Amino acid sequence: MPRPSLDQSCTKIVATVGPACDTPEKLAELIEAGADVFRINTAHGKIPDHEQKLAAIREASAMTGVHVGVLLDLAGPKIRLGELVNEPLQCDVGMQLTFIRRGEPKTDHELTSTYGKLIDELTVGNRVMLADGMVALEVESVSADRAVCRVTAAGELRSRQGINLPGVKLSVSAMQRNDLDNAIWAADHGIDFISLSFVRTAEDVRTLKNVLTAHDCEALVIAKIEKPEALANLEQIVDAADGIMVARGDLGVEIDVAETPMAQKRIIRVCKEKVKPVIVATQMLESMHHSPRPTRAEASDVANAILDGADACMLSGETAIGDFPVKTVQMMSRIMQCTEQSLTHDMTERTVTNRVHPITTAVTFAATNIAEAIDASLIVIATKSGGTAWVKSKSRSLIPTLGASDCEETLRRMNLFWGIKPIAIKKMGHPAEIRTEICRWGKKTGVLKVGDRIVFVSGSGVVEKAHNSVVVHTVD
C-alpha cells in the first residue's frame, strides 16, 4: 500500500500535459512534486496524441503508486483566425481590417476565421477581441461576404490566434463533432473528469452527460465558465454539472477584465453553497513559463483563490510548455500549504447536497467535528463511490484525511476533492478489517504512533444494514 502525500497541500493541483512533461519519468516527477490531476487539452493534437499522453500518465501512476486523476478538456467552439498573409501583423489604432467569408486572404489587411458563420452573426458596433484581447476591433460595416472592422486597441497578430466576440450570441453548439469524438474516446478509456468549454446553459452540460451515459461512463463533468451567458445562468449550470472551472483566459476577454476578480469570487461562492468542486485556471503562475520564480502578484493570486474557497488550481502552459514544470508544481504546492494554515474549520456550518444521502451528510459533518474536538491525528473515510469524501472535502478541516477505497475509479476521482488523500485498500470488507489495515500501514510508514486517535467514517453501503458509521479508534 503506497503512502499518500499527507505532507502536501490540501488544495489540489491540476497540471496540463504537454511537450515539457509528456514522458512517464517527467510526469512521475510532477506527481512527487504535488500534482493530483493531469489535464489533456484536446485543443492541441488528435486522438492518437491523447492516447500517448494517457499511456504516459498511467505509467507514471504505476511508477509512483499514486492513483492520479485525468481530466480531458474538450476544446468546444473556439473561434480562431485563419492563416495570415504575413506574420506577425502589427495592428495600429485606426487601421482597417476585413473578415472575408471565402477564399484565402490576398492582402495583409484581410482576415479569415475557422467559424464559417462569423460574418452572419456580426452587426455594426460589435466588438471583436483577438489574441486573448491583446487586439480589439469594432465592426463598421457588414455585407454578404465581408465584415469591415477598425482597430481600437493596438497589438500584434499571428495565425491561428483566438477570436472572442463579447456580447455576440453565437448559434454554434457548445459541443462540436471533434468534442463528441473525444468524449466517446474518454468514455472508452476510463477518463475521470471531462470539462466542457464555452458552456452557456445547463442544457449544454446535460447534452454531454447524455453522451457519457449512453456509453456507460461515470466521468465527472466540469463546466467551464468563460461566457457572459454562463454567468447569467450560473446557478443552473452549477446544479447540472459535477464541478466548475473558472476559465479566466476567455472569461477575462468576454467580460471586462476589471470584472473578472469579482466574477471569480461569485462562482466560487455558488459552488461552495451547492457543494461542487471548483477549479481556478489560467495564468496562475504565468511568469514561470520562463522564470524559476513567480511574481509576488501571482503568489497572491493563488493564495486568494484558496482563501475564497477553490478546491483546485490549474497550471496550463506553465507545465505543458514551460521551462520549469516541476519547480512550478512545487512552488504552487508551497504557496497552497502556507495559505491553508490560515483556514479555519467552521464547526457550525453544514452544507447539504443531493449527491449523497442526507444521513451521510450529517454523519460526515458530525465525524469531522468529533475529530476536531479530540484533536485526532487522522480521519479515514471508507467509501465505495467517493460521495462521503466529497462531503468531507467541503469542511476545510486541516486534519489529514484519507479516502480509502478498493475501487480504482473512485480513488482517481477523489484526487479533485479538497483535503482528501486517496489510499487503496485490499477490500471494502468489515469496518474492523479496514481499521486494522490502515493502522498497520500507518505504524509501518510512521504516519501513526501508539496513542494516536483516528476517526473512521464508513460511507453508505460499506456497513451492512446501515447508512454510515463513525468509530473513534486509539492506536495500540
Side-chain angles (χ1 to χ4, degrees), residues 101-314:
R101 186 186 296 274
R102 299 182 184 87
E104 299 296 323
K106 296 180 175 60
T107 71
D108 285 350
H109 292 190
E110 286 187 339
L111 305 176
T112 57
S113 153
T114 58
Y115 182 41
K117 297 166 67 175
L118 175 66
I119 292 173
D120 298 328
E121 302 198 341
L122 289 177
T123 59
V124 173
N126 283 159
R127 289 186 301 144
V128 180
M129 311 296 285
L130 308 176
D132 290 332
M134 296 301 293
V135 177
L137 313 177
E138 183 174 326
V139 179
E140 292 192 326
S141 67
V142 181
S143 62
D145 295 310
R146 304 172 75 84
V148 179
C149 307
R150 192 163 300 278
V151 177
T152 58
E156 196 174 81
L157 287 184
R158 295 182 180 275
S159 300
R160 306 293 298 172
Q161 287 184 313
I163 301 174
N164 290 88
L165 305 168
V168 178
K169 292 189 180 297
L170 301 177
S171 58
V172 63
S173 169
M175 279 194 72
Q176 301 295 288
R177 178 59 199 231
N178 282 345
D179 297 321
L180 181 59
D181 293 341
N182 284 320
I184 293 172
W185 174 83
D188 293 338
H189 287 77
I191 298 296
D192 309 294
F193 313 99
I194 302 176
S195 57
L196 182 60
S197 297
F198 302 105
V199 170
R200 287 166 290 185
T201 67
E203 189 58 37
D204 293 335
V205 177
R206 286 191 282 268
T207 298
L208 174 55
K209 284 197 165 189
N210 289 339
V211 171
L212 299 178
T213 299
H215 289 81
D216 296 322
C217 176
E218 297 183 355
L220 302 185
V221 172
I222 309 297
K224 295 171 68 175
I225 306 299
E226 47 196 335
K227 300 284 289 182
E229 299 99 308
L231 289 174
N233 300 311
L234 182 62
E235 283 77 7
Q236 296 93 327
I237 291 171
V238 176
D239 281 333
D242 299 308
I244 295 294
M245 183 186 294
V246 187
R248 303 183 303 180
D250 283 287
L251 182 63
V253 178
E254 292 279 345
I255 66 174
D256 188 335
V257 68
E259 299 174 8
T260 307
M262 295 311 297
Q264 173 178 313
K265 289 178 182 293
R266 179 191 164 213
I267 295 166
I268 294 174
R269 183 178 68 253
V270 172
C271 288
K272 182 180 179 182
E273 291 169 356
K274 296 179 180 293
V275 198
K276 298 293 176 74
V278 56
I279 306 165
V280 176
T282 316
Q283 296 180 330
M284 302 224 72
L285 296 178
E286 180 77 4
S287 66
M288 290 193 74
H289 271 83
H290 305 297
S291 170
R293 291 179 61 82
T295 66
R296 290 163 180 80
E298 289 166 344
S300 296
D301 182 35
V302 174
N304 280 318
I306 295 165
L307 294 173
D308 286 343
D311 294 272
C313 294
M314 192 175 92

